[in-house]
Amino acid sequence: MSRTTGFRFVPLASVALAALALAACTDGNARTDAKAQEVQARAVRVETVAFKPQSRERSFVGTVRPRIESDLGFRVAGKIAERYVNQGQTVTKGQPLARLDSIDLQLQRQQAEAELAAAQINLDASLAQDKRTQDLRAAGWATQATLDTQLARTADARGRLDKAKRALDLANNQFAYATLAADSDGVVTATLAEPGQVVAAGTPVARLARSGEREAVVAIPETMIEAVRTGVASVSLWSNAGKVYQAKLREFAASADTATRTFQARFTIQDADDGVVIGMTATVTVGEPASARVARLPISALYAEGRGPSVFVVDAATGGLTLKAVTVAGYDGRDVLISTGVAEGDKVVALGVHKLDVQQRVRIVDGR
């Protein structure tokens, strides 16, 4: 009985061991296949297609400035009594900015008024004397020479009156100049004098940037003069790099800066909004007008097998490869310029294309 039982258990144990061995082999084969598939997914470097003008665009860093910015000062000398504005303040045309102590100017005006009154009295008296002298001359009691002398005195008195009137007008103007007013709407960009300071005529007191056009001021090297003069420009602000403004060259310096040997260029920012603030840092980009748009790729991305140039485009989701024929517009150093055959945003294999096959699977890597 025991021998029979032992004979039956031996085959069952062998079958169990065989099943375990088969399962282990199946699992090992699955892992081997997965590893083989992973090995077959070749690592590749890619370049993303981006179409840009065929000519290289040049960028220059500058600052936003107003088209017209003036230093305002008093037209007469004196002591500053008050300053009504501060830096950064917005003002309107005719708004007072500062005032001088006007006591002396007021005294000058009063003196001119007194001189005018005296000149008027003198003329009135001379006119009355003309009448009396003419009557005497008609009666034969005065000579013609006496009458001529009196008429000359009247003419002189009339001239003195005119002079006194001009002096009063000048005194009134001088008195009005004691108040410095804004000559246009704008923003005060600097205050250059303080109350209590004695200033000469024309001394800058405040700097006013007029409202209106805004410009980007940049320094241009002499090798780029012609490209800047004939190119198409655009401006972007560092504070909002995503927004681009069209620009137009308005002014180009006639001579180079003695220190930097660069030429100052001023580009008018078209359709500037409130986001374009004076003093902001701007980037001016200049390119050739009406230039063809091409994709710039490394020459190593080209694949040729006797049927024209092609490139491998990678499907980032599946790792699949597609061989696409392209049109070469030209070469620039180590780059090839592609005009057609690929789309914006395509990922093109940049290295080792002659070791690839469209049946392969690849994986994109950032570096070695």
Side-chain angles (χ1 to χ4, degrees):
M1 189 66 174
S2 61
R3 290 179 183 177
T4 302
T5 304
F7 179 75
R8 291 177 178 174
F9 281 133
V10 170
L12 293 176
S14 300
V15 172
L17 291 174
L20 290 175
L22 180 60
C25 290
T26 303
D27 188 31
N29 291 334
R31 292 180 181 178
T32 302
D33 293 342
K35 186 174 182 181
Q37 291 179 358
E38 183 177 354
V39 172
Q40 289 177 358
R42 181 185 294 273
V44 293
R45 294 282 300 278
V46 298
E47 291 282 343
T48 302
V49 174
F51 282 90
K52 295 181 179 180
Q54 183 170 348
S55 60
R56 285 186 177 272
E57 293 181 337
R58 303 291 181 174
S59 295
F60 308 94
V61 177
T63 55
V64 176
R65 302 303 308 167
R67 177 168 181 174
I68 300 177
E69 187 174 22
S70 306
D71 288 342
L72 304 182
F74 293 102
R75 298 170 68 173
V76 292
K79 178 181 179 180
I80 299 178
E82 293 180 278
R83 195 190 71 212
Y84 303 114
V85 295
N86 295 309
Q87 183 176 352
Q89 185 172 338
T90 301
V91 297
T92 58
K93 183 177 181 179
Q95 179 177 340
L97 306 180
R99 181 180 65 83
L100 291 176
D101 185 352
S102 59
I103 293 178
D104 292 343
L105 298 175
Q106 186 173 4
L107 292 175
Q108 291 178 7
R109 186 174 66 171
Q110 292 174 354
Q111 179 182 356
E113 290 173 347
E115 290 179 353
L116 176 62
Q120 183 65 54
I121 293 173
N122 186 33
L123 177 61
D124 293 342
S126 183
L127 290 173
Q129 185 62 35
D130 287 350
K131 181 66 173 59
R132 289 191 292 271
T133 304
Q134 289 174 353
D135 293 342
L136 292 174
R137 178 69 182 93
W141 296 100
T143 64
Q144 184 63 37
T146 303
L147 178 60
D148 292 342
T149 301
Q150 179 56 39
L151 293 177
R153 290 174 181 172
T154 302
D156 180 69
R158 186 175 286 106
R160 289 180 181 275
L161 178 63
D162 292 339
K163 182 179 178 180
K165 290 180 178 179
R166 302 296 179 270
L168 179 59
D169 292 340
L170 181 60
N172 287 330
N173 290 341
Q174 297 284 324
F175 184 78
Y177 295 156
T179 300
L180 178 63
D183 57 356
S184 66
D185 297 343
V187 178
V188 178
T189 57
T191 53
L192 308 174
E194 299 295 333
Q197 182 176 344
V198 177
V199 295
T203 301
V205 174
R207 182 170 298 149
L208 181 66
R210 292 191 179 185
S211 300
E213 293 185 5
R214 293 289 180 262
E215 297 182 336
V217 182
V218 296
I220 305 298
E222 57 185 275
T223 56
M224 291 296 298
I225 291 178
E226 190 61 28
V228 169
R229 283 178 172 171
T230 60
V232 177
S234 61
V235 175
S236 61
L237 304 177
W238 287 20
S239 61
N240 186 10
K243 186 169 185 178
V244 178
Y245 301 87
Q246 296 302 312
K248 182 179 181 181
L249 179 65
R250 184 187 68 84
E251 180 181 288
F252 197 92
S255 60
D257 184 89
T258 56
T260 63
R261 305 307 304 166
T262 57
F263 294 80
Q264 186 186 84
R266 301 179 73 97
F267 291 86
T268 300
I269 303 175
Q270 299 178 356
D271 300 326
D273 51 25
D274 294 338
V276 182
V277 179
I278 296 173
M280 282 186 169
T281 304
T283 299
V284 178
T285 303
V286 180
E288 292 184 3
S291 178
R293 296 181 66 82
V294 295
R296 186 179 295 272
L297 298 173
I299 293 179
S300 57
L302 283 183
Y303 177 79
E305 53 178 11
R307 292 181 295 181
S310 304
V311 295
F312 282 102
V313 178
V314 180
D315 186 339
T318 64
L321 291 174
T322 303
L323 187 62
K324 292 186 176 182
V326 295
T327 302
V328 176
Y331 298 89
D332 184 7
R334 298 181 179 180
D335 294 337
V336 58
L337 308 179
I338 307 297
S339 59
T340 60
V342 289
E344 185 83 16
D346 281 353
K347 296 188 180 300
V348 175
V349 179
L351 297 172
V353 294
H354 291 89
K355 296 183 179 181
L356 297 178
D357 186 86
V358 292
Q359 303 299 327
Q360 285 182 296
R361 289 293 182 268
V362 297
R363 53 189 176 89
I364 300 173
V365 295
D366 294 331
R368 294 185 178 180

